Amino acid sequence: MNIRVTLRWLQVLDKLEPWYKNKGEFVFWTKVTSGDSTQDRRFPEEGHYSISDHRRWNKLDHLNKVMYDGEAGDSLCIELRGVETDRFSADDELERYSREFSGPVESWVGRHRPGDEGPPDPEAMSNWRICYDVEIV
């Protein structure tokens, strides 16, 4: 059985920059493992996303980036990390996301987003939020 894991959107709550900078320059890495297969991705593939922490400009909607497309093993581990890159000082990291699914593959399927499981929700971290889909293909 094959599965696909797709990052739908992400939202940054803290741009990790001083108040006088309107936006941060963010890069995101994903690592998804199922069985013996691991797929690593970088978003964007080149450059960075300029993201504010202002509610009006802090969400990257409609990303629809495939993080994993392959065979389903006996478990699924999804890891994401985000870094605000700095030219003249050390980079700043967002809180890391990690979640593991086990049991029947059908139990992993669906949209995983903030607020779908009640507090504490794994997709609602302290300084950012994510939403992704797991589907059987």
Side-chain angles (χ1 to χ4, degrees):
M1 183 178 310
N2 285 341
I3 59 170
R4 180 178 302 130
V5 181
T6 306
L7 180 62
R8 296 299 179 192
W9 58 261
L10 58 86
Q11 180 180 30
V12 173
L13 305 177
D14 183 353
K15 68 183 180 330
L16 303 174
E17 287 285 18
W19 63 270
Y20 56 85
K21 286 191 77 177
N22 291 331
K23 296 182 178 183
E25 294 83 28
F26 286 90
V27 177
F28 299 91
W29 288 271
T30 66
K31 179 179 181 178
V32 181
T33 302
S34 190
D36 294 330
S37 179
T38 298
Q39 295 178 17
D40 295 295
R41 304 273 195 270
R42 179 191 192 274
F43 303 116
E45 291 179 11
E46 294 181 21
H48 62 269
Y49 295 116
S50 292
I51 306 174
S52 169
D53 55 9
H54 186 279
R55 286 184 6 196
R56 198 171 202 172
W57 301 290
N58 70 347
K59 192 171 184 180
L60 295 176
D61 275 327
H62 313 293
L63 283 174
N64 301 324
K65 302 290 187 182
V66 174
M67 299 187 290
Y68 181 89
D69 194 351
E71 191 170 332
D74 56 354
S75 65
L76 175 67
C77 182
I78 300 173
E79 300 174 68
L80 283 89
R81 67 185 189 97
V83 174
E84 195 286 316
T85 60
D86 288 311
R87 181 172 287 167
F88 300 111
S89 62
D91 292 345
D92 301 304
E93 287 202 35
L94 293 167
E95 180 181 344
R96 287 182 183 232
Y97 173 83
S98 181
R99 183 159 185 191
E100 187 164 346
F101 298 90
S102 59
V105 172
E106 294 79 12
S107 69
W108 314 342
V109 171
R111 177 156 289 180
H112 302 277
R113 65 182 184 274
D116 64 347
E117 298 175 60
D121 193 299
E123 288 77 41
M125 288 135 317
S126 63
N127 52 8
W128 66 310
R129 310 275 188 262
I130 61 169
C131 175
Y132 60 89
D133 292 337
V134 178
E135 59 187 325
I136 297 172
V137 291

